[in-house]
Amino acid sequence: MCWSATADLVAGAGITCVGVACVARVHRTGDLPLAALPLPLGVHQLVEARVWQVGGGTGPATVAWAVIALPLLAVWVPAAVLCAVPRDATARLSIPVASGVATAGVLAYAIATRPVRAEIRGHTVGYVIGLPHAGVLIAGYLLATVGALLLSGDRWLVALGVLAGVGALVCWALWRLEFVSTWCAFAAACSVVVFGWVVGRRPRSRSTVRPTPDTV
C-alpha cells in the first residue's frame, strides 16, 4: 500500500522493472518462482493505484488487490522458497508450505463469498473483508510467508524474511493510526533484496587453466 495513486504507480513500475531484471538473470529453473516475486508485488501496487483513482469501493480493482495480497502471496512465497532451497532444507519448510496452502484456501473462499470493500482514509486505503478468525489467519499467513524465508537457510532470504516481518509491523502500526501507508517502500526494498539473491546465485565462471608443455 502507498500513500497516493502517484506513489503507487511509481513504486509499481519500479518494482515490476526489478522483477523483469531478476527473471532475466535466473540460471536455475527452481529459482524462477522466487526471482519473479517482485512481479506480483509490482502489479499489486499498480492495481492499488486504480483503487485510489476510483475512490475505493467494491470494484474489480479492489477484488484484484485482495486476491494478490492474500491467497496468492500466501501460497507463492513458501512454494517459491521450497523450489529454490536445497533438498536437505525441504523438510523444515513443510509446515510453512502447509500453512500457506490452508490459509490461502480460507482466504480465497472468503474473498469469493464475502464483499471486499476499499475505503480511502486520508493517506491510507483500508480494505474491509470481514475474515473469519482473523487472528488465526494472520498467524498462518505470517508463518507461511515470513516463516518460510526465515527457515530457508539462505542468508539473503533470511534477510528478506526479517525485512518483511519488520515491514509488516511498521506498516500495520502506521495504517492503524491512519497516518500513511508505507508498504510500497518495503516492497521496493524487498525486491532489491530478491535481486541481490538472484545475482548471488549466478554460477561462478570456471577459471581457464592453460596446459603447460611436457618437459623432456
Side-chain angles (χ1 to χ4, degrees), residues 33-214:
L34 193 53
L37 180 60
L39 294 178
L41 295 180
V43 171
H44 198 221
Q45 303 301 145
L46 297 175
V47 168
E48 188 174 72
R50 180 59 181 169
V51 174
W52 279 102
Q53 291 171 350
V54 300
T58 58
T62 299
V63 176
W65 184 96
V67 169
I68 296 172
L70 300 175
L72 179 62
L73 290 180
V75 173
W76 189 314
V77 174
V81 174
L82 183 65
C83 291
V85 299
R87 289 186 177 181
D88 58 1
T90 57
R92 63 175 177 263
L93 290 172
S94 58
I95 293 179
V97 171
S99 178
V101 172
T103 302
V106 176
L107 292 173
Y109 178 80
I111 293 172
T113 58
R114 298 168 182 260
V116 183
R117 186 176 73 257
E119 300 174 350
I120 306 299
R121 305 169 183 171
H123 293 290
T124 67
V125 180
Y127 294 89
V128 181
I129 303 176
L131 296 174
H133 310 292
V136 176
L137 288 174
I138 291 172
Y141 187 95
L142 293 176
L143 174 60
T145 54
V146 177
L149 293 167
L150 294 178
L151 292 174
S152 65
D154 182 286
R155 63 185 183 89
W156 279 99
L157 299 186
V158 171
L160 179 60
V162 172
L163 180 61
V166 172
L169 288 174
V170 172
C171 292
W172 176 81
L174 294 175
W175 177 81
R176 290 286 293 178
L177 294 172
E178 296 188 4
F179 176 63
V180 66
S181 294
T182 54
W183 174 246
C184 56
F186 283 99
C190 288
S191 298
V192 172
V193 175
V194 173
F195 182 80
W197 173 78
V198 171
V199 172
R201 300 277 283 184
R202 294 177 61 182
R204 298 177 180 177
S205 57
R206 296 179 180 178
S207 57
T208 304
V209 179
R210 295 182 178 180
T212 56
D214 294 332

